[in-house]
């Protein structure tokens, strides 16, 4: 390829909307300055490297390719300085049932200037979809936008502990949602964290 045209498509790198992917016609269907050939959502504008709009269900069901930028919305159900949980409440336009409606968002490596929201905020989050020790989550958050404040939280789902224990039938579908277990006995107070774990979150998130 010519100097300054690393993909050899005839468009100089500084003007090429896909400098590392050959696309001589420079097609950009959604006019976001990212060529269709390298745009993960060529029909939906994601200017400036914003995540492609999707939803919590698609992430938690594994329908999105890992390590791609994604944009989701949800209600904050728990938050601390480096983590938060989002859930889609019943009545929300995106609501499609309780299963897979909650997700963990790691904000410990968020971009400079990103401010944690508060419980009850309905937010739009841009981040990177990742698998962290078998937990599907959003991390490397680029932006958090508060859409609405004071939203009612989804009610707790009361479950038997055996139904949501690790590897139990309801553990994965309800991961990240508001769950209350009853009739349990505490066998250890503040036990050592497991792989990738840390101290518990304050608030109502978790499984």
């Amino acid at each position: 390829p010519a100097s300054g045209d690393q993909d050899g498509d005839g468009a100089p790198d500084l003007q090429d909307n896909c400098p590392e992917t050959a696309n001589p016609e420079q097609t950009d269907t959604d006019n976001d300055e990212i060529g269709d050939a390298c745009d993960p959502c060529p029909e939906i504008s994601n200017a400036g490297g914003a995540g492609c709009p999707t939803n919590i269900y698609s992430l938690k069901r594994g329908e999105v390719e890992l390590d791609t930028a994604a944009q989701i919305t949800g209600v904050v159900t728990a938050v601390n300085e480096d983590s938060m949980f989002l859930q889609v409440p019943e009545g929300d336009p995106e609501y499609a049932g309780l299963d897979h409606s909650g997700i963990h968002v790691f904000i410990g490596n968020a971009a400079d200037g990103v401010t944690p929201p508060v419980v009850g905020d309905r937010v739009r989050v841009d981040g990177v979809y990742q698998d962290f020790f078998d937990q599907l989550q959003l991390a490397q958050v680029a932006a958090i936008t508060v859409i609405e404040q004071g939203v009612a939280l989804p009610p707790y789902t009361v479950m038997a502990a055996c139904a949501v224990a690790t590897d139990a039938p309801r553990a994965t579908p309800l991961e990240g949602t508001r769950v209350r277990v009853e009739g349990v006995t505490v066998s250890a107070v503040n036990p050592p964290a497991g792989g990738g774990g840390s101290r518990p979150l304050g608030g109502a998130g978790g499984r």
Side-chain angles (χ1 to χ4, degrees), residues 71-86:
Q71 182 185 95
I72 58 173
T73 60
V75 174
V76 180
T77 59
V79 64
N80 66 16
E81 67 273 10
D82 60 14
S83 289
M84 66 181 182
F85 283 90
L86 302 183

PDB file of all heavy atoms in Angstrom, residues 71-86:
ATOM      1  N   GLN A  71     -24.143   0.038  24.086  1.00  0.00           N
ATOM      2  CA  GLN A  71     -24.880   1.071  24.813  1.00  0.00           C
ATOM      3  C   GLN A  71     -26.185   0.457  25.308  1.00  0.00           C
ATOM      4  O   GLN A  71     -26.954  -0.101  24.535  1.00  0.00           O
ATOM      5  CB  GLN A  71     -25.175   2.258  23.898  1.00  0.00           C
ATOM      6  CG  GLN A  71     -25.901   3.412  24.557  1.00  0.00           C
ATOM      7  CD  GLN A  71     -26.254   4.494  23.541  1.00  0.00           C
ATOM      8  OE1 GLN A  71     -27.362   4.502  23.012  1.00  0.00           O
ATOM      9  NE2 GLN A  71     -25.316   5.382  23.259  1.00  0.00           N
ATOM     10  N   ILE A  72     -26.417   0.531  26.621  1.00  0.00           N
ATOM     11  CA  ILE A  72     -27.629  -0.043  27.212  1.00  0.00           C
ATOM     12  C   ILE A  72     -28.296   0.982  28.123  1.00  0.00           C
ATOM     13  O   ILE A  72     -27.691   1.973  28.517  1.00  0.00           O
ATOM     14  CB  ILE A  72     -27.320  -1.314  28.027  1.00  0.00           C
ATOM     15  CG1 ILE A  72     -26.309  -1.004  29.149  1.00  0.00           C
ATOM     16  CG2 ILE A  72     -26.804  -2.422  27.124  1.00  0.00           C
ATOM     17  CD1 ILE A  72     -26.088  -2.169  30.107  1.00  0.00           C
ATOM     18  N   THR A  73     -29.552   0.718  28.453  1.00  0.00           N
ATOM     19  CA  THR A  73     -30.276   1.536  29.429  1.00  0.00           C
ATOM     20  C   THR A  73     -30.846   0.626  30.506  1.00  0.00           C
ATOM     21  O   THR A  73     -31.109  -0.549  30.288  1.00  0.00           O
ATOM     22  CB  THR A  73     -31.419   2.334  28.773  1.00  0.00           C
ATOM     23  OG1 THR A  73     -32.352   1.421  28.179  1.00  0.00           O
ATOM     24  CG2 THR A  73     -30.889   3.270  27.708  1.00  0.00           C
ATOM     25  N   GLY A  74     -31.024   1.194  31.685  1.00  0.00           N
ATOM     26  CA  GLY A  74     -31.606   0.455  32.790  1.00  0.00           C
ATOM     27  C   GLY A  74     -31.701   1.343  34.010  1.00  0.00           C
ATOM     28  O   GLY A  74     -31.206   2.479  34.024  1.00  0.00           O
ATOM     29  N   VAL A  75     -32.337   0.814  35.052  1.00  0.00           N
ATOM     30  CA  VAL A  75     -32.487   1.537  36.313  1.00  0.00           C
ATOM     31  C   VAL A  75     -31.418   1.062  37.288  1.00  0.00           C
ATOM     32  O   VAL A  75     -31.212  -0.151  37.449  1.00  0.00           O
ATOM     33  CB  VAL A  75     -33.894   1.332  36.896  1.00  0.00           C
ATOM     34  CG1 VAL A  75     -34.001   1.961  38.287  1.00  0.00           C
ATOM     35  CG2 VAL A  75     -34.944   1.919  35.972  1.00  0.00           C
ATOM     36  N   VAL A  76     -30.745   2.002  37.927  1.00  0.00           N
ATOM     37  CA  VAL A  76     -29.696   1.667  38.890  1.00  0.00           C
ATOM     38  C   VAL A  76     -30.338   1.107  40.149  1.00  0.00           C
ATOM     39  O   VAL A  76     -31.141   1.778  40.800  1.00  0.00           O
ATOM     40  CB  VAL A  76     -28.850   2.907  39.234  1.00  0.00           C
ATOM     41  CG1 VAL A  76     -27.762   2.543  40.244  1.00  0.00           C
ATOM     42  CG2 VAL A  76     -28.232   3.494  37.973  1.00  0.00           C
ATOM     43  N   THR A  77     -29.967  -0.132  40.509  1.00  0.00           N
ATOM     44  CA  THR A  77     -30.524  -0.761  41.708  1.00  0.00           C
ATOM     45  C   THR A  77     -29.519  -0.846  42.843  1.00  0.00           C
ATOM     46  O   THR A  77     -29.892  -1.090  43.996  1.00  0.00           O
ATOM     47  CB  THR A  77     -31.033  -2.180  41.387  1.00  0.00           C
ATOM     48  OG1 THR A  77     -29.950  -2.977  40.886  1.00  0.00           O
ATOM     49  CG2 THR A  77     -32.154  -2.142  40.359  1.00  0.00           C
ATOM     50  N   ALA A  78     -28.232  -0.665  42.560  1.00  0.00           N
ATOM     51  CA  ALA A  78     -27.192  -0.663  43.578  1.00  0.00           C
ATOM     52  C   ALA A  78     -25.960  -0.002  42.985  1.00  0.00           C
ATOM     53  O   ALA A  78     -25.707  -0.129  41.785  1.00  0.00           O
ATOM     54  CB  ALA A  78     -26.857  -2.076  44.040  1.00  0.00           C
ATOM     55  N   VAL A  79     -25.191   0.692  43.832  1.00  0.00           N
ATOM     56  CA  VAL A  79     -24.012   1.384  43.314  1.00  0.00           C
ATOM     57  C   VAL A  79     -23.029   1.650  44.446  1.00  0.00           C
ATOM     58  O   VAL A  79     -23.424   1.876  45.593  1.00  0.00           O
ATOM     59  CB  VAL A  79     -24.423   2.719  42.622  1.00  0.00           C
ATOM     60  CG1 VAL A  79     -25.047   3.687  43.613  1.00  0.00           C
ATOM     61  CG2 VAL A  79     -23.240   3.367  41.918  1.00  0.00           C
ATOM     62  N   ASN A  80     -21.726   1.549  44.137  1.00  0.00           N
ATOM     63  CA  ASN A  80     -20.690   2.070  45.018  1.00  0.00           C
ATOM     64  C   ASN A  80     -19.653   2.757  44.134  1.00  0.00           C
ATOM     65  O   ASN A  80     -19.926   3.041  42.967  1.00  0.00           O
ATOM     66  CB  ASN A  80     -20.102   0.988  45.935  1.00  0.00           C
ATOM     67  CG  ASN A  80     -19.323  -0.094  45.190  1.00  0.00           C
ATOM     68  OD1 ASN A  80     -18.944   0.075  44.021  1.00  0.00           O
ATOM     69  ND2 ASN A  80     -19.067  -1.201  45.859  1.00  0.00           N
ATOM     70  N   GLU A  81     -18.470   3.009  44.652  1.00  0.00           N
ATOM     71  CA  GLU A  81     -17.517   3.815  43.884  1.00  0.00           C
ATOM     72  C   GLU A  81     -16.978   3.137  42.642  1.00  0.00           C
ATOM     73  O   GLU A  81     -16.473   3.791  41.734  1.00  0.00           O
ATOM     74  CB  GLU A  81     -16.338   4.258  44.775  1.00  0.00           C
ATOM     75  CG  GLU A  81     -15.438   3.123  45.246  1.00  0.00           C
ATOM     76  CD  GLU A  81     -15.919   2.459  46.529  1.00  0.00           C
ATOM     77  OE1 GLU A  81     -17.055   2.741  46.959  1.00  0.00           O
ATOM     78  OE2 GLU A  81     -15.152   1.663  47.089  1.00  0.00           O
ATOM     79  N   ASP A  82     -17.066   1.807  42.548  1.00  0.00           N
ATOM     80  CA  ASP A  82     -16.503   1.149  41.366  1.00  0.00           C
ATOM     81  C   ASP A  82     -17.431   0.145  40.690  1.00  0.00           C
ATOM     82  O   ASP A  82     -17.028  -0.498  39.724  1.00  0.00           O
ATOM     83  CB  ASP A  82     -15.160   0.483  41.685  1.00  0.00           C
ATOM     84  CG  ASP A  82     -15.261  -0.580  42.776  1.00  0.00           C
ATOM     85  OD1 ASP A  82     -16.384  -1.004  43.108  1.00  0.00           O
ATOM     86  OD2 ASP A  82     -14.201  -0.977  43.303  1.00  0.00           O
ATOM     87  N   SER A  83     -18.642   0.015  41.161  1.00  0.00           N
ATOM     88  CA  SER A  83     -19.564  -0.943  40.549  1.00  0.00           C
ATOM     89  C   SER A  83     -21.009  -0.479  40.695  1.00  0.00           C
ATOM     90  O   SER A  83     -21.340   0.284  41.608  1.00  0.00           O
ATOM     91  CB  SER A  83     -19.434  -2.327  41.200  1.00  0.00           C
ATOM     92  OG  SER A  83     -18.227  -2.965  40.855  1.00  0.00           O
ATOM     93  N   MET A  84     -21.830  -0.953  39.789  1.00  0.00           N
ATOM     94  CA  MET A  84     -23.266  -0.723  39.928  1.00  0.00           C
ATOM     95  C   MET A  84     -24.017  -1.841  39.215  1.00  0.00           C
ATOM     96  O   MET A  84     -23.457  -2.588  38.412  1.00  0.00           O
ATOM     97  CB  MET A  84     -23.669   0.636  39.361  1.00  0.00           C
ATOM     98  CG  MET A  84     -23.505   0.819  37.869  1.00  0.00           C
ATOM     99  SD  MET A  84     -23.994   2.507  37.362  1.00  0.00           S
ATOM    100  CE  MET A  84     -23.772   2.406  35.586  1.00  0.00           C
ATOM    101  N   PHE A  85     -25.291  -1.963  39.565  1.00  0.00           N
ATOM    102  CA  PHE A  85     -26.167  -2.911  38.902  1.00  0.00           C
ATOM    103  C   PHE A  85     -27.297  -2.146  38.232  1.00  0.00           C
ATOM    104  O   PHE A  85     -27.823  -1.175  38.789  1.00  0.00           O
ATOM    105  CB  PHE A  85     -26.753  -3.919  39.898  1.00  0.00           C
ATOM    106  CG  PHE A  85     -25.789  -5.002  40.307  1.00  0.00           C
ATOM    107  CD1 PHE A  85     -24.971  -4.837  41.403  1.00  0.00           C
ATOM    108  CD2 PHE A  85     -25.708  -6.181  39.579  1.00  0.00           C
ATOM    109  CE1 PHE A  85     -24.071  -5.824  41.779  1.00  0.00           C
ATOM    110  CE2 PHE A  85     -24.820  -7.175  39.945  1.00  0.00           C
ATOM    111  CZ  PHE A  85     -23.992  -6.999  41.051  1.00  0.00           C
ATOM    112  N   LEU A  86     -27.660  -2.599  37.036  1.00  0.00           N
ATOM    113  CA  LEU A  86     -28.805  -2.057  36.305  1.00  0.00           C
ATOM    114  C   LEU A  86     -29.822  -3.159  36.101  1.00  0.00           C
ATOM    115  O   LEU A  86     -29.473  -4.334  35.940  1.00  0.00           O
ATOM    116  CB  LEU A  86     -28.387  -1.529  34.931  1.00  0.00           C
ATOM    117  CG  LEU A  86     -27.321  -0.442  34.832  1.00  0.00           C
ATOM    118  CD1 LEU A  86     -27.140  -0.050  33.367  1.00  0.00           C
ATOM    119  CD2 LEU A  86     -27.685   0.759  35.665  1.00  0.00           C
TER     120      LEU A  86
END
